[in-house]
Amino acid sequence: MVSKGVLNRRERRESWHSRSLDGHVQKEPRRTSGAAAQETAAATVIGGSHSNESLSLASLLCKLGVALHAMHSFNCQQAVEELSSLPKRHYETGYVLDLVGLSYFESADYKKSELAYNQAWRVEPHRVEGLEYYSSALWHLRRDVELCRLAQQCLQWDRLRPQVWCVVGNCFSLQKEHDAAIKLFKRAIQVDSTFTYAYTLCGHEFVASEKIDKAVAMYENALNLDPRHYNAWWGLGNIYHRQEEHENAKYHFYKALQVNSSNSVLRCYLGMVLSALKQPLLALDSFDQAAQAEPQNGMAYFQKACVLISLERYEEALTDLKKVRCLAPKEACVHFQLGKVYMKLQKDRKALYHFNIAMDLNRDSKDYHTIKTHIEKL
């Protein structure tokens, strides 16, 4: 949802399709419009300082140190700015481009992350470091062809690196072949038992396969290796949230936010738990922080609107739902909630309009009859 980096993969891996009408929605990564658009974006996004000035070794190391410190503090914008200020001959190296790609990945800007990693592998075609995040970015963008090609290439390079098996595991995960993905992530762990990210990815697949006990064990193994691995904290919180153990979920989401306080999706999940704990004002504050951190986060606006509806603040809920509709115009759950709000505001014609759209978008879903019931009530 939910995340690999900015919830890494599943926390932000959450696709913005509606699961049901009760508010469990997730974000959908946008797709790029083709190779020409990618090259144009690369020219504007991926590129260091065009100055030919050379830096002393001390100055270069200082800039890299500041960028690394910012990145490990999850201040990704500062990290990108520091790295972009490097002279072009330093910037266009696999190491620096890898850091740029990771910074964008942690910011959930998967398009720019993909562009940075593409440029890194044009510079160093057989670079293995960072492949796990590159493949996760492709996973979020639903680029199955590119991910399959990357998996085939890296298997030819080096089968004794955990990053390679994570790439192949992500490829199978995108095809929803969860059992095969689990085997491949376990292979990554066999190759390197200290590779934290493989445990988390394996945990995500166990959750997708409804093998919750095994998922918990994987997340705990990841935290034993790296207590700052916020993806695993999120994974445990998400499991408890699904099991409606909201106090436990809140504890784990707070632990994740202590590591990465700027993560918009973590704020959303915390808000959902606070709402379930009957703390609507704290939930609204959490959703506001999520929206401020990432203005394109439709999940934050949607969940905030659901809380406002429960508080009978319909006009405010309508404002947020309109924002979500602009971000995701084909989401049945958004139109359903709009219909409910217009119904409360006694604007029956508009309510019927949105209920009908929701029914058309959700015709094959179990929620179809729920929508039909509201139309009959109207």
Side-chain angles (χ1 to χ4, degrees), residues 4-17:
K4 298 184 177 184
V6 151
L7 278 184
N8 277 326
R9 174 176 140 192
R10 280 21 174 211
E11 29 136 39
R12 290 271 193 190
R13 120 185 192 162
E14 304 284 332
S15 61
W16 211 140
H17 65 282

Side-chain angles (χ1 to χ4, degrees), residues 17-267:
H17 65 282
S18 87
R19 291 186 176 178
S20 67
L21 297 172
D22 60 0
H24 294 287
V25 295
Q26 304 167 327
K27 282 212 299 199
E28 171 179 310
R30 301 191 191 115
R31 299 168 185 262
T32 54
S33 57
Q38 287 186 9
E39 292 302 322
T40 303
T44 56
V45 173
I46 311 300
S49 169
H50 293 289
S51 169
N52 290 322
E53 64 176 296
S54 59
L55 293 176
S56 66
L57 178 60
S59 299
L60 178 62
L61 291 175
C62 182
K63 279 184 173 291
L64 287 173
V66 171
L68 281 169
H69 184 270
M71 195 175 70
H72 286 288
S73 302
F74 296 98
N75 189 344
C76 298
Q77 183 60 39
Q78 182 189 352
V80 171
E81 290 172 358
E82 288 291 337
L83 293 169
S84 298
S85 68
L86 292 172
K88 192 173 181 180
R89 68 192 184 94
H90 295 301
Y91 183 88
E92 293 183 349
T93 58
Y95 176 74
V96 173
L97 289 168
D98 180 18
L99 293 178
V100 173
L102 181 57
S103 296
Y104 282 127
F105 182 81
E106 292 289 0
S107 302
D109 193 337
Y110 301 118
K111 285 184 181 180
K112 291 182 180 179
S113 178
E114 181 200 8
L115 292 171
Y117 281 121
N118 266 333
Q119 191 171 350
W121 272 279
R122 281 199 300 270
V123 174
E124 296 183 27
H126 296 287
R127 183 179 178 84
V128 174
E129 290 77 9
L131 278 176
E132 68 276 25
Y133 297 110
Y134 183 22
S135 63
S136 294
L138 294 173
W139 189 100
H140 285 290
L141 294 169
R142 301 295 186 263
R143 300 279 178 75
D144 52 351
V145 175
E146 292 87 345
L147 185 51
C148 183
R149 184 177 61 202
L150 179 65
Q152 289 177 332
Q153 287 176 343
C154 16
L155 280 173
Q156 296 172 3
W157 299 341
D158 189 350
R159 297 188 177 209
L160 296 177
R161 301 292 291 275
Q163 294 93 334
V164 170
W165 295 107
C166 285
V167 173
V168 184
N170 277 335
C171 183
F172 279 90
S173 174
L174 187 55
Q175 303 302 322
K176 300 190 183 303
E177 297 185 30
H178 301 300
D179 290 339
I182 288 169
K183 290 179 182 178
L184 291 160
F185 292 135
K186 284 185 174 180
R187 175 62 178 155
I189 294 169
Q190 288 176 341
V191 171
D192 184 354
S193 61
T194 64
F195 196 70
T196 309
Y197 198 37
Y199 289 96
T200 300
L201 295 180
C202 196
H204 293 330
E205 295 303 315
F206 277 128
V207 171
S209 302
E210 300 295 333
K211 299 175 182 176
I212 303 303
D213 291 342
K214 292 182 178 180
V216 169
M218 283 294 170
Y219 291 137
E220 289 177 346
N221 285 335
L223 291 172
N224 287 335
L225 289 169
D226 181 7
R228 294 188 76 250
H229 193 61
Y230 72 92
N231 313 77
W233 286 114
W234 173 85
L236 289 169
N238 183 47
I239 287 173
Y240 289 123
H241 177 52
R242 287 162 57 120
Q243 295 176 338
E244 298 186 2
E245 296 182 29
H246 299 304
E247 284 292 346
N248 277 336
K250 183 175 78 168
Y251 167 80
H252 286 86
F253 289 145
Y254 269 127
K255 292 291 287 186
L257 281 165
Q258 286 176 7
V259 178
N260 187 354
S261 60
S262 62
N263 191 295
S264 177
V265 177
L266 283 175
R267 292 283 176 192

Side-chain angles (χ1 to χ4, degrees), residues 348-365:
D348 295 345
R349 202 173 285 273
K350 288 186 175 181
L352 185 61
Y353 170 73
H354 286 286
F355 281 143
N356 281 324
I357 293 177
M359 193 155 61
D360 288 340
L361 292 170
N362 232 357
R363 194 167 292 279
D364 298 327
S365 168

Side-chain angles (χ1 to χ4, degrees), residues 351-352 355-356 359 370-378:
L352 185 61
F355 281 143
N356 281 324
M359 193 155 61
T370 305
I371 304 169
K372 194 172 181 179
T373 301
H374 276 77
I375 291 176
E376 291 169 354
K377 190 184 297 184
L378 183 63

